[in-house]
Amino acid sequence: MDDRKKPRLGTARKLLVPLYARAVENRTDHALLRDARAEDVVASVDYDFGSFVDLPSLTGALLRALLFDRWVIDFLSTRPDATVVEIDTGLSTRHERVEKVALVGSNSTCPA
């Protein structure tokens, strides 16, 4: 039996692109970004990600995640008592990749 969830996407399909980009990168030997959670989420969703293969925006989505991770890490390195709070960030898993990042929000941008 297939336990994967079939999402009701509508315009939220675009949120799957950065998630898929991080999952694909996580599978490579010399990944620029490790995100096992993204890979787990992609595996649990009943969606044909084949339309995303070789999509130019995968590279952009991955680079954006790397850039924001770096900005957050740099910010926190100069403010050791700070916590970064991400509010309603869709399918972001930054809170699992970067210490001292808290996720707050209803994830209302992508209803299940």
Side-chain angles (χ1 to χ4, degrees), residues 17-93:
V17 173
L19 177 73
Y20 183 70
R22 295 189 317 268
V24 168
E25 181 67 12
N26 191 64
R27 295 181 202 134
T28 65
D29 289 336
H30 303 289
L32 298 173
L33 180 143
R34 290 287 175 200
D35 194 340
R37 181 68 175 140
E39 196 169 349
D40 292 344
V41 172
V42 165
S44 71
V45 175
D46 183 14
Y47 184 79
D48 180 12
F49 288 95
S51 64
F52 294 166
V53 174
D54 297 326
L55 195 64
S57 60
L58 289 179
T59 301
L62 178 64
L63 293 175
R64 184 174 56 245
L66 283 165
L67 182 61
F68 274 86
D69 283 2
R70 174 56 33 209
W71 286 342
V72 168
I73 290 166
D74 289 348
F75 174 84
L76 290 171
S77 72
T78 60
R79 295 159 184 88
D81 295 329
T83 298
V84 173
V85 178
E86 292 192 299
I87 300 173
D88 218 5
T89 57
L91 298 172
S92 175
T93 54

